[in-house]
């Protein structure tokens, strides 16, 4: 149980006092958490979770065991309280909190605003959608991710377009894994164009899977993180999870499958058209990519950009656009993406 005490006049900060901190905050909120283990997880190693909340919501948070005090503006304190109660509910349920969960809770609370009263009896409730897997639930952390999950649940073909670190591939794999676990599809098919990022790797030894594995490593990482490793290995051996190089997809009809095409910005127009027309009965197709990271030779049109333009508004197809503010990796990644988006682009021929 979470207990919120009345506003208090006494407040002690974890940080060293300075001239500003000597002035009392506008509002002070005191929360007592019953579960000491969950409260410890809530604080995070060396208080990093609380520090993140302080930085993002412009409040000051003091932790004494399972007793937490929040100081700052009324809006900031209310938002911080809701974030802490949401994270506490996750910790009580056994979820290992990471900084991404903290950021996700902060963004969910900001998105909710004060449009409705927060229910303290259900501290884990947020406006964001979730994908429930056997291993662990995956919840949207941004409004764009929420729209993405809703689109995945409602449409047979979904484009997830945007910069790196926004969770496009991660959520696509989570949705495919959920369909597979619920027996709504018989298999998962993973594909990606074998295009190096500005390098030439040359000859790669091994069989087909070993040659393609380096290109699909991000999808493998997501699979093993979201599903039991033994299930993944068994499904790979039986073909229920299939690695299908894009170059070998022609002529196939993919039925009863969850199909993911990653790094689709590196497909040509003909490759994209060929891939889209593989969709068979009772299948779902998810296409992800970042149009700002095209590795095709100069002069070739990205199949992703063309498909997004041509298929805009087509019934049954959803498109979700991610932006720099949706990056959920390290805070610096969002700033890096924003800096590159605002920088002048070089000419296509590379000459200035």
């Amino acid at each position: 149980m979470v207990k919120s005490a009345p506003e208090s006049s006494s407040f002690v900060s974890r940080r060293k006092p300075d001239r500003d901190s000597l002035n009392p905050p506008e509002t002070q909120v005191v929360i007592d958490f019953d579960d000491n283990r969950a409260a410890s997880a809530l604080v995070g190693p060396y208080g990093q979770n609380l520090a993140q909340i302080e930085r993002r919501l412009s409040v000051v948070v003091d932790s004494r065991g399972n007793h937490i005090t929040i100081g700052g503006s009324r809006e900031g304190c209310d938002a911080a309280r809701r974030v802490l109660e949401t994270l506490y509910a996750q910790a009580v349920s056994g979820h290992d909190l990471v900084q991404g969960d903290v950021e996700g809770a902060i963004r969910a609370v900001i998105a909710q605003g004060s449009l409705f009263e927060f229910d303290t009896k259900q501290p884990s409730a947020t406006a964001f959608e979730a994908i429930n897997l056997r291993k662990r639930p995956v919840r949207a952390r941004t409004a764009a991710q929420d729209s993405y999950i809703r689109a995945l649940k409602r449409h047979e073909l979904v484009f997830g377009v945007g910069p790196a670190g926004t969770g496009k591939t991660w959520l696509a794999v989570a949705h495919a894994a959920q369909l597979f676990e619920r027996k709504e599809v018989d298999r998962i098919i993973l594909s990606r164009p074998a295009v190096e990022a500005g390098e030439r790797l040359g000859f790669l030894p091994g069989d087909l899977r070993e040659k393609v594995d380096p290109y699909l490593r991000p999808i493998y990482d997501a699979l093993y993180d979201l599903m039991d490793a033994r299930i993944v290995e068994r499904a790979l051996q039986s073909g229920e999870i299939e690695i299908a190089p894009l170059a070998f997809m022609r002529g196939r009809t993919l039925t009863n499958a969850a199909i993911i095409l990653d790094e689709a910005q590196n497909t040509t127009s003909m490759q994209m058209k060929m891939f889209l027309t593989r969709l068979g009965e009772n299948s779902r197709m998810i296409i992800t990519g970042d149009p700002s990271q095209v590795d095709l030779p100069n002069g070739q049109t990205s199949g992703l950009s063309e498909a997004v333009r041509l298929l805009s508004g087509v019934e049954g197809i959803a498109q979700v656009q991610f932006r720099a503010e949706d990056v959920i990796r390290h805070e610096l990644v969002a700033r890096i993406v924003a800096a590159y988006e605002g920088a002048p682009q070089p000419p296509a021929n590379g000459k200035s």
Side-chain angles (χ1 to χ4, degrees), residues 108-240:
V109 166
I110 292 175
Q112 282 182 316
S114 301
L115 297 178
F116 54 88
E117 183 64 26
F118 183 71
D119 187 357
T120 56
K121 295 181 181 179
Q122 296 179 335
S124 62
T126 71
F128 287 167
E129 287 278 333
I131 299 173
N132 295 310
L133 300 171
R134 293 174 185 170
K135 190 172 183 179
R136 64 188 182 89
V138 176
R139 184 175 296 278
R141 296 176 180 174
T142 69
Q145 286 192 351
D146 180 62
S147 299
Y148 190 45
I149 293 178
R150 292 176 188 272
L152 292 172
K153 292 180 177 180
R154 292 165 175 77
H155 296 82
E156 294 178 341
L157 174 57
V158 178
F159 288 89
V161 181
T166 51
K168 306 182 300 296
T169 302
W170 173 267
L171 292 176
V173 174
H175 180 65
Q178 183 186 54
L179 294 175
F180 182 71
E181 289 181 350
R182 293 180 176 180
K183 306 298 183 183
E184 295 182 33
V185 297
D186 296 333
R187 52 186 173 154
I188 298 173
I189 299 176
L190 311 173
S191 188
R192 182 176 177 177
V195 178
E196 295 94 344
E199 301 178 57
R200 293 293 177 267
L201 300 180
F203 173 78
L204 294 176
D207 58 21
L208 180 60
R209 177 181 169 183
E210 291 171 332
K211 292 177 186 291
V212 178
D213 274 359
Y215 299 99
L216 292 166
R217 180 49 52 188
I219 298 181
Y220 276 121
D221 291 343
L223 275 174
Y224 281 104
D225 198 34
L226 295 167
M227 300 174 66
D228 185 90
R230 291 173 297 179
I231 295 176
V232 174
E233 288 295 336
R234 186 165 61 246
L236 286 169
Q237 293 296 326
S238 66
E240 291 174 302

Side-chain angles (χ1 to χ4, degrees), residues 247-303:
F248 297 168
M249 296 288 283
R250 188 175 299 277
R252 299 186 62 183
T253 300
L254 307 176
T255 60
N256 299 313
I259 312 154
I260 299 175
L261 175 61
D262 193 31
E263 299 292 342
Q265 75 275 5
N266 289 326
T267 61
T268 64
S269 297
M270 291 302 296
Q271 284 177 326
M272 178 59 76
K273 180 182 177 182
M274 178 271 294
F275 185 82
L276 290 171
T277 54
R278 300 308 96 198
L279 187 64
E281 292 184 1
N282 191 39
S283 288
R284 300 292 183 91
M285 184 175 283
I286 311 166
I287 299 174
T288 66
D290 179 3
S292 69
Q293 297 193 41
V294 177
D295 299 311
L296 293 172
N298 287 336
Q300 283 198 349
T301 301
S302 169

Side-chain angles (χ1 to χ4, degrees), residues 4-8 27-31 68-71 77-78 81:
S4 297
E7 297 180 4
S8 170
T27 302
Q28 295 170 345
V29 175
V30 178
I31 311 175
I68 293 180
T69 306
I70 311 167
C77 287
D78 180 62
R81 174 181 62 84

